[in-house]
Amino acid sequence: MASTGFPGREFGFGVPEAGGGGLLKRPLSEMERLQLQQQMQQAMFLRSVKQRTLLASSVPPHLSTPPPQDLFLGASSSLASLNLTAAGPFRRQEAPFSAPAAEIGPSTALRDGLQELERRLLLDEEEEDAVSASGSAVTTAEWSEAMQQLIAAPAPVPALSGANQLSPSPTNSSSSTVSSSASSSPPASLVAAIPSGASLRQMLLDTANAVADGNSDMANRNLSVLKGAANYRGDPEQRLTAMMVAVLFVRLKPPSPAGSFPTVAEVCGTDHLAASQMLYEASPCFKLGLMAANLAILEATKDLPKIHILDFEVGHGGQYVALIHALVDRHRLRPAGRPPSLRITAVADPASPFTNNHPGGTLRTVGDRIEKLGERHGLSVRFDAVHHRAAELDAAALGCEAGEALAVNLAFSLARIPDESVSPTNPRDELLRRLRALGPRVVALVEQEINTNSASFAGRFAAACSHYGALLESLDATSARDSGDRGRIEGWLARRVVNSVAREGADRVERCEVFGKWRARMGMAGFNPVQLRPALVESVKNRLESMRPNLSFSIAEEANRIEFAWKGQILTVASTWH
């Protein structure tokens, strides 16, 4: 079963030792405090001497040395392998962490060509009984256990002859466990030494650059400090630090033939469905993105008797609860004639890990709930599920019928379909071309606004810090910090961040892109943008106001899209096409 907790707990982010003394509470000796201050001074000196500019593009993952196949670990992992000895988690490592083997890049001409190409491309209340987020809420203790279940701690390696050399060779270490109870703050003697705010974010970026450059000395020095600032129960910046430190440790983890990394199922498993539904409810940026997609579908199918929607990420079906209510309300206001019939076809790729790690009856269970909801409201609703690869999709495979108003819902689904950087067959663009051949009246596209696809590791890391830092901060405005649902959401987000930032090649199962790239892909597939009607945009804005969220949430209309942001950081974008 997939872990439901926050990755990185084993690194001591506010977790006491089983013996009673907290890893982050044990007072340091005078010598240890002096060593830590020296490390901080050295780290700040190095950062002031050399600032590295992040590259916006990178070598495509499929041209790089493939990463290990074993991504995720088993239930127990080792504190000893992190050198968390009696000196505490801030003691400098006796041997540097190891990193994956250097990636093999293309020729200079090819790389320049790829970079130039990328530069051009970037020019109502729901019925809980009908569709729920699945399962009861988990407690903080339950979701926090992902510290033990997601990331195997980097194993110590023999001393290296080169000061800045990283080695891919791991060694084995014994396993140990920690108590699930936690302390939420570091010792007072360390508060002055631990960075915060902008300096903490900068140290994260510097450490990612050090890892990318192979600078093990700087990476180890910074990580020993960052672990003290990481706290998955703390403020948003501390929670972000816990996420990103977990990313750094996984990136530094060498290949393990024993399979100590968690499997892709940890990211794509059944908890993915429940946690994603919780996020869509907790965050206005996600909830309103789905609302915009529904409104676009309703607008394009207005006054038509038969509506057929193709959906590539039904999840728990929460989006269709709102859609069914909207159809019923529209008919109630205009009672002439019979209400339209609604048909939903869930399309699942049998090769996708998001399909393979769901129980066989998940789609059928969701479909039954949606059909019963429609029946209770006097609406004819039919739910079908088909399992086909992108190259196999056509009108016959999807059961399209004459006289239907066809709509395509691509809400938070396209980023999970591999593209040309993963497979030469490019299923992502193949799917778009085949959907265009069906002639849908509308395609609703909703995605997160972040590039975790073509950017380099350092570029993805910086983008994730900005994007998820804003998302975690926005959750403070809608959810209590000790909420079990929020813990489940953030545990799921953390596992996604680890996978999308630290991993390469086919092991990176979710590859988000910014709107400029989605626009280019849609255009190349033959789709044209649909101008949003002012009434649609106004409905979304009114909904945001009715939710009474923090004023830092904002909505901006740009041509055929609506951008949802927190303090100016765009988190999601909804757009319409035909």
Side-chain angles (χ1 to χ4, degrees), residues 10 56 117 338 414 544 574:
E10 68 202 50
L117 175 61
R338 299 179 59 184
L414 208 52
L544 177 63

Side-chain angles (χ1 to χ4, degrees), residues 97-120:
F97 291 109
S98 54
E103 298 181 357
I104 302 174
S107 64
T108 302
L110 176 58
R111 181 167 58 251
D112 292 343
L114 290 171
Q115 292 176 351
E116 175 63 17
L117 175 61
E118 180 170 342
R119 185 187 65 78
R120 293 181 182 180

Side-chain angles (χ1 to χ4, degrees), residues 417-457:
I417 300 174
D419 70 346
E420 66 278 3
S421 64
V422 179
S423 170
T425 61
N426 192 356
R428 185 176 294 185
D429 288 348
E430 176 70 18
L431 171 64
L432 292 177
R433 288 191 295 268
R434 288 185 171 267
L435 291 176
R436 176 64 185 86
L438 297 174
R441 296 180 68 90
V442 66
V443 175
L445 174 64
V446 189
E447 288 290 351
Q448 291 179 246
E449 183 71 357
I450 178 176
N451 181 8
T452 58
N453 187 21
S454 59
S456 65
F457 165 71

Side-chain angles (χ1 to χ4, degrees), residues 4-6 9 138-148 179-182 232-233 482-484 487:
T4 60
F6 195 99
R9 181 170 180 264
V138 294
T139 64
T140 300
E142 287 172 323
W143 63 257
S144 69
E145 301 224 349
M147 280 279 194
Q148 295 170 298
S179 170
S180 61
S181 60
Y232 64 91
R233 293 181 177 179
D482 59 353
S483 162

Side-chain angles (χ1 to χ4, degrees), residues 470-515:
L471 178 54
L472 291 174
E473 187 176 335
S474 73
L475 289 176
D476 254 12
T478 62
S479 306
R481 290 184 179 179
D482 59 353
S483 162
D485 282 357
R486 178 172 174 180
R488 196 168 181 178
I489 290 169
E490 293 183 357
W492 170 66
L493 288 175
R495 293 192 295 277
R496 288 178 60 203
V497 173
V498 167
N499 181 266
S500 62
V501 177
R503 312 315 302 163
E504 299 291 350
D507 287 333
R508 192 169 357 129
V509 297
E510 193 170 55
R511 294 169 170 268
C512 297
E513 297 184 305
V514 295
F515 179 77

Side-chain angles (χ1 to χ4, degrees), residues 305-326:
K306 298 171 65 178
I307 303 171
H308 186 185
I309 302 176
L310 304 180
D311 194 295
F312 293 81
E313 178 62 22
V314 170
H316 277 287
Q319 181 179 357
Y320 292 105
V321 175
L323 182 65
I324 289 173
H325 281 302

Side-chain angles (χ1 to χ4, degrees), residues 38 40 52 66 83 95 110 114 151 159 178 204 213 245 249-250 258 273 368 419 424 438 452 476 504 519 561 572:
Q38 290 173 343
M40 280 292 298
R52 182 176 181 273
N83 289 340
L110 176 58
L114 290 171
I151 305 162
V178 296
L204 282 169
D213 290 341
V245 168
F249 275 113
V250 170
L273 295 177
D368 289 343
D419 70 346
L438 297 174
T452 58
D476 254 12
E504 299 291 350
R519 178 174 54 198
R561 68 187 187 272
T572 62

